[in-house]
Amino acid sequence: MAASLAGAAAVVLARPGRVRRRLRRQFPAPAGGTGGRRTVHAGSGRGPAGFPGLRDAAMMLELIGAMLDAGAGLGRSLELVAALVPPDLERQLRPVVSALAVGADWETAWRSSGALSPQLLALRDALAFAALTGAPSAALLYAQAARLRRGRNRAAEQRAAALGVKLVVPLGLCSLPAFVCLGVVPVLLGLLPA
C-alpha cells in the first residue's frame, strides 16, 4: 500500500497538470453543472465540488505520507493537497501554505490561517511532529491515518448498536398491543361463560 501511494505521489509530483486533467475526466460534472463542462473555480482549475475523497483527513494523511516518501517536502505536499481539496477547505489551507512558504513557524502558520474544520485540525496535529522536528514521518502519518479510520469505524459500530436498542421501543409499542388484541383477548373471551 505504501509503495503504491509513494508511486502515485511521484507521478503527481512529476506531472501535476497531466494528472489533474486525468482526474477531471474521471470525475464527471455535478448534476446541476453546466452541461458537460466543469465550472471552473477562480484560479484553481477545478469544479466547485473539488474531489470529495480528499475531504477525508485519513486520505490526506496517506497522500502527504506518500509524497514525503517520494521526496517532496512538507510545504510542497501541503500545497498539492490544498490544490485538490474542496474550496471550503482550500480557503483554510492556502494561508497555511503561504505562511510556511515565507518562513513562518508551524504554530504561527496554523494560528494565522483560522483553520477550523475538523479535517484540517486532524491534519495539523498529525503533521506537527514532522514539522517541528524534521524527522521522517511518513510511517507516522500512515499509522495516524489508520488510527483515524479505526476510530471512525468504531464510532459507526457504536451508532449501529445504539440504533438496534432504539428500534426495540417502537417495535414493542407496535407488536405488544397486537399480541394482546390477537392472542390474549380471544383466550379471555373464550374462557368467559356464554
Side-chain angles (χ1 to χ4, degrees), residues 39-63:
T39 309
V40 177
H41 198 62
S44 67
R46 61 181 158 69
F51 296 100
L54 285 182
R55 269 198 183 278
D56 182 23
M59 178 71 79
M60 285 187 230
L61 288 173
E62 285 185 343
L63 183 60

Side-chain angles (χ1 to χ4, degrees), residues 168-182:
V168 168
V169 173
L171 183 64
L173 290 176
C174 293
S175 62
L176 188 58
F179 172 73
V180 169
C181 290
L182 298 175

Side-chain angles (χ1 to χ4, degrees), residues 20-112:
R20 235 181 247 128
R21 282 191 301 274
R22 275 190 190 158
L23 287 174
R24 277 192 216 123
R25 281 194 303 261
Q26 280 185 331
F27 292 102
T34 56
R37 300 190 120 213
R38 303 255 342 209
T39 309
V40 177
H41 198 62
S44 67
R46 61 181 158 69
F51 296 100
L54 285 182
R55 269 198 183 278
D56 182 23
M59 178 71 79
M60 285 187 230
L61 288 173
E62 285 185 343
L63 183 60
I64 290 174
M67 286 187 250
L68 292 176
D69 273 345
L74 188 58
R76 176 72 175 145
S77 300
L78 280 174
E79 180 183 351
L80 290 172
V81 166
L84 296 175
V85 296
D88 59 329
L89 295 178
E90 181 184 14
R91 279 190 298 276
Q92 297 176 34
L93 194 55
R94 281 289 173 196
V96 175
V97 172
S98 299
L100 290 174
V102 297
D105 65 297
W106 184 255
E107 291 299 324
T108 305
W110 281 95
R111 195 173 30 246
S112 66

